Amino acid sequence: MITDFPSIERAYLPGLVSFAFIPSQYIQTLPPVSQGTITQLVKLRSADRFLNGLSVIRKLSFDEEGATDDNGTIYNWKVTGFYPGDDPAAAALFAEMEADHIRHLVIAKDHAGRRRLIGYNAPLTFTAVFNSGIEPGDAIGYTFTFTGRGKQRAPLYKA
């Protein structure tokens, strides 16, 4: 049932503070979503784990936009960040993550400590763009993006 918007309980700081990711082939099972929330751990294959991602401060964000067509509402997800520098190890990792057959799930954490599981039942594609900068003071490094779309909003992850 549609109701009034809930009251706003606190101020929200923009952006994300951290994220972790995992190639989807390392997922054994996904727990159920209940009222937009997951309360059980994602079950991974043995010895696999979510990997730590890195981004400079104030460059890590998550966007979720709904679009409606004849088939209903689809949500477009986008996690964006910036990895500084021109590190050959980072370039090699990013190239591997961009492979056609590799898709990812991301757990993104905001400033209030809330986490979302992005890519639930619809894993994300990874891309990275290197920019050398033009002007003095330009940031040199990789802008990376995880993108995807699914039939529901990215659930809160409270496991």
Side-chain angles (χ1 to χ4, degrees):
M1 172 165 68
I2 296 176
T3 65
D4 297 326
F5 280 29
S7 62
I8 298 171
E9 298 177 11
R10 61 183 147 191
Y12 291 94
L13 295 173
L16 300 172
V17 294
S18 65
F19 76 99
F21 67 96
I22 190 167
S24 61
Q25 67 261 30
Y26 299 157
I27 303 291
Q28 186 170 346
T29 57
L30 291 170
V33 176
S34 177
Q35 297 180 339
T37 304
I38 294 173
T39 58
Q40 300 171 23
L41 291 173
V42 171
K43 189 170 183 182
L44 308 178
R45 295 184 339 193
S46 65
D48 291 317
R49 65 179 176 84
F50 275 85
L51 305 166
N52 293 318
L54 293 173
S55 176
V56 298
I57 295 173
R58 292 184 281 198
K59 293 289 185 177
L60 187 59
S61 67
F62 168 57
D63 296 307
E64 179 177 62
E65 180 180 357
T68 303
D69 62 19
D70 292 341
N71 297 317
T73 302
I74 294 292
Y75 295 95
N76 295 304
W77 303 310
K78 185 165 120 177
V79 176
T80 303
F82 184 78
Y83 185 87
D86 189 8
D87 183 334
L93 172 64
F94 296 161
E96 186 176 353
M97 291 174 68
E98 289 174 319
D100 286 342
H101 65 284
I102 305 289
R103 298 292 180 266
H104 308 270
L105 272 75
V106 171
I107 296 176
K109 184 178 176 183
D110 69 16
H111 289 276
R114 286 182 305 273
R115 297 181 301 161
R116 290 195 178 273
L117 181 62
I118 307 161
Y120 185 88
N121 280 338
L124 310 170
T125 301
F126 177 85
T127 57
V129 176
F130 178 76
N131 189 323
S132 66
I134 297 173
E135 302 291 330
D138 283 352
I140 297 169
Y142 294 86
T143 298
F144 61 84
T145 308
F146 292 90
T147 56
R149 52 191 311 173
K151 294 184 179 190
Q152 60 187 351
R153 290 193 177 276
L156 290 173
Y157 188 61
K158 294 184 175 181

